[in-house]
Amino acid sequence: MNNDDRLIAAAQEYVDQVWEDVVRDIDYLVQVESVEDKELAQDGMPFGPGPAEALNRSLQIAERLGLDAHSCEGYVGYADLAGESAAYISTIAHSDIVPLGKGWTVDPLRVTRKDGFLLGRGVIDDKGPLVLSLYAAHFFARKVAAEGIKLPYTLRCIVGTNEETGMADVDYYLSHFPEPAFCFTPDASFPLICGEKGRFFAAVASKEIRDDDARILRMDGGTVANAVPQEAEALVRACASELPASERIAVKDAGVDDKGQPLAAIHATGRGGHAAMPEGTINAIALLVRYLVENDLCGAEERPFLDFGRRLLQDSFGKGMGIDVTDDVFDPLTCVGGTLRTEETPSGRRFVQTMDVRYPKSTDAARLLGVVERVACEHGCTITQSDDMVPFYMSPDSEEVRTLVGTYNQITGRNVQAFTIGGGTYARHFGRAVAFGPDDPAYPNPDWVGIEHGPDEGVSEEALKRALVIYVVSIARLMRLDLG
């Protein structure tokens, strides 16, 4: 048995020894509803109490596993295993989550074990992978303690708290610490993600609609801008019994308004998912808007906004808006309307629709803004751009990428290559970084297991166990490279 075979065998033996502890620690983090809440932010908890508590628990786990853990004013944390060099190799995972949302069949704030799967908010995005990164470091901490030989580089596990809503945590980190020699984030899919599309976020608002001119009193849909919404609803001035049936639409009598006019509550149920991977989803806001227009459930002042929505939500690739493009590196552009809200104004209300565009390198934010702004103006709407991230790409031929992909292929017996995605991970913020598992296409989920950002979010235990082996072996091999 050569050294690499011994390393793999030791990693597999280690995972079997610690696995029940791993699951308990994942559950310990899942119990925290670590959704951003800036209204409750204060010193030491810049993103609210939930993310702060999840960070504290993560660092408690790290300390117990023999790492030197630190919180950086609550923005971010890190846990080190000191090496021969101050230069460091790092992982970076996040302890914050998207809102729980509806449709769960299990408790989203506990880990449920069922038929070889773990279910709960964050088990795959990204509390489960965060715990894996800490235990991968623990493998080496235990080895260093036993043998007294330090690693060539310092090994650092970075713990983020704001990945889902802006990544201000990594901005803070990079303004206070030098970049790692190399970094990977366990917040994506195997075999390895070497590139990420650009991200363009914006909100489109209707003009103010006076109550006397309105048929729609309220519209509300989605939970976060970066997810395909599963639920959307509207309260309209109409007689529920006179409205037609429609697939995925439920209509109920909602009483009368203050003038005695009948009200109907209209509820649309779609199929949710991540905005970066909209294939197979059904946008509930699109269903709602279509039903309102087709049944003339809107006034003259409301119709232009709904017509804009129909163009935006026509598909998930921007064709209705005229922004659909692709290129030689990335998959086609995706365009998702994630949330729909009603905002009260002095004389009535207005409606606001968010849009999440993931774009390849063949376009840019300025072009996208120009097109969307023109279409919005045609429909009497205004647009506010809230964020832009340019595309990121690291060559699959780099030594680091070949090391990680080679490790994955050796341990799994597969022969696959690095690829690009539409999702945005921490990797795009670093000079030398990639996204590396642990979601594994070799372990397909049954229908009852939900995807990240959706209800019943779940992951195969065997997939996580194998990922931990891959991480241990990959880190050991990265330590052998010249990363100067």
Side-chain angles (χ1 to χ4, degrees):
M1 182 181 289
N2 61 33
N3 287 339
D4 269 359
D5 289 339
R6 281 193 286 272
L7 171 62
I8 293 171
Q12 290 171 334
E13 181 181 5
Y14 167 76
V15 172
D16 289 338
Q17 290 174 352
V18 302
W19 188 248
E20 291 305 313
D21 293 331
V22 171
V23 174
R24 277 192 291 271
D25 282 335
I26 295 173
D27 181 57
Y28 184 55
L29 295 187
V30 167
Q31 292 173 35
V32 183
E33 191 171 355
S34 49
V35 178
E36 180 187 75
D37 187 352
K38 287 191 174 180
E39 291 186 1
L40 297 178
Q42 55 182 282
D43 289 347
M45 51 179 69
F47 309 114
E53 174 62 17
L55 173 61
N56 290 337
R57 291 192 180 201
S58 300
L59 298 179
Q60 289 171 17
I61 295 169
E63 287 279 6
R64 175 163 45 80
L65 295 178
L67 306 177
D68 182 20
H70 304 268
S71 175
C72 305
E73 301 183 88
Y75 282 90
V76 69
Y78 67 91
D80 282 352
L81 176 61
E84 292 290 349
S85 171
Y88 66 99
I89 293 169
S90 78
T91 62
I92 179 168
H94 64 91
S95 57
D96 61 310
I97 56 173
V98 299
L100 304 181
K102 301 177 181 179
W104 288 80
T105 64
V106 298
D107 184 350
L109 294 177
R110 292 303 303 262
V111 168
T112 296
R113 288 176 116 164
K114 180 180 178 182
D115 298 338
F117 287 81
L118 304 181
L119 306 181
R121 176 60 84 224
V123 292
I124 188 63
D125 185 25
D126 191 34
K127 292 177 176 179
L130 166 58
V131 171
L132 296 188
S133 71
L134 297 177
Y135 273 85
H138 176 245
F139 173 90
F140 295 99
R142 198 166 68 167
K143 185 177 176 66
V144 168
E147 300 176 2
I149 301 173
K150 288 186 176 182
L151 296 172
Y153 300 96
T154 293
L155 177 58
R156 172 169 292 186
C157 299
I158 304 172
V159 182
T161 60
N162 187 233
E163 194 272 349
E164 297 290 2
T165 51
M167 300 194 191
D169 50 355
V170 77
D171 292 338
Y172 176 96
Y173 181 85
L174 290 172
S175 71
H176 289 78
F177 298 95
E179 285 217 14
F182 180 71
C183 174
F184 72 79
T185 178
D187 186 20
S189 299
F190 284 130
L192 181 142
I193 292 164
C194 62
E196 300 172 6
K197 291 177 184 173
R199 300 171 66 183
F200 171 87
F201 293 161
V204 177
S206 71
K207 66 180 182 180
E208 183 182 56
I209 299 165
R210 295 180 304 168
D211 188 68
D212 290 343
D213 298 326
R215 288 201 68 187
I216 304 171
L217 300 185
R218 184 180 70 252
M219 288 193 292
D220 185 82
T223 55
V224 289
N226 63 346
V228 178
Q230 180 158 310
E231 310 283 343
E233 59 187 9
L235 181 66
V236 301
R237 288 184 170 124
C239 182
S241 62
E242 297 176 0
L243 297 179
S246 184
E247 185 178 5
R248 293 186 172 271
I249 297 289
V251 179
K252 293 183 179 180
D253 187 310
V256 297
D257 65 9
D258 55 5
K259 298 179 181 178
Q261 298 183 61
L263 298 175
I266 302 169
H267 189 93
T269 302
R271 184 183 299 128
H274 199 294
M277 299 169 283
E279 295 86 352
T281 63
I282 299 174
N283 191 309
I285 296 174
L287 296 174
L288 179 68
V289 168
R290 187 180 308 122
Y291 186 87
L292 294 175
V293 171
E294 290 178 353
N295 292 283
D296 198 27
L297 294 172
C298 54
E301 299 295 307
E302 298 159 330
R303 180 64 183 260
F305 177 78
L306 296 183
D307 285 341
F308 172 85
R310 293 186 79 186
R311 288 189 62 173
L312 173 67
L313 304 167
Q314 175 181 310
D315 56 54
S316 297
F317 303 98
K319 293 179 181 178
M321 299 295 295
I323 57 175
D324 50 314
V325 292
T326 189
D327 63 25
D328 61 335
V329 171
F330 293 99
D331 288 336
L333 173 149
T334 59
C335 178
V336 165
T339 62
L340 174 62
R341 298 288 183 259
T342 304
E343 295 183 354
E344 298 301 319
T345 63
S347 302
R349 64 190 61 84
R350 70 172 187 163
F351 304 115
V352 181
Q353 170 73 62
T354 61
M355 57 185 299
D356 177 322
V357 179
R358 312 295 172 106
Y359 63 90
K361 59 183 176 62
S362 54
T363 189
D364 57 43
R367 295 179 204 171
L368 295 171
L369 179 61
V371 174
V372 177
E373 198 166 39
R374 175 179 55 78
V375 176
C377 184
E378 290 172 359
H379 292 81
C381 301
T382 56
I383 179 172
T384 303
Q385 181 183 345
S386 58
D387 194 16
D388 172 50
M389 297 182 182
V390 299
F392 142 78
Y393 187 68
M394 185 170 182
S395 172
D397 295 325
S398 68
E399 195 168 18
E400 300 96 324
V401 171
R402 288 190 288 108
T403 295
L404 298 185
V405 173
T407 300
Y408 173 82
N409 282 336
Q410 179 184 4
I411 291 174
T412 63
R414 305 182 76 201
N415 184 23
V416 289
Q417 302 298 320
F419 62 102
T420 63
I421 62 166
T425 72
Y426 283 131
R428 67 167 61 246
H429 291 265
F430 296 87
R432 297 169 72 181
V434 295
F436 188 44
D439 191 22
D440 195 331
Y443 291 92
N445 290 345
D447 291 342
W448 53 267
V449 175
I451 61 175
E452 61 183 36
H453 290 201
D456 288 349
E457 175 185 339
V459 63
S460 159
E461 284 197 58
E462 284 304 311
L464 287 185
K465 291 176 75 172
R466 192 162 76 174
L468 182 49
V469 173
I470 292 168
Y471 290 149
V472 168
V473 177
S474 294
I475 290 169
R477 291 174 174 173
L478 287 171
M479 288 288 169
R480 303 171 190 166
L481 301 181
D482 180 2
L483 300 175

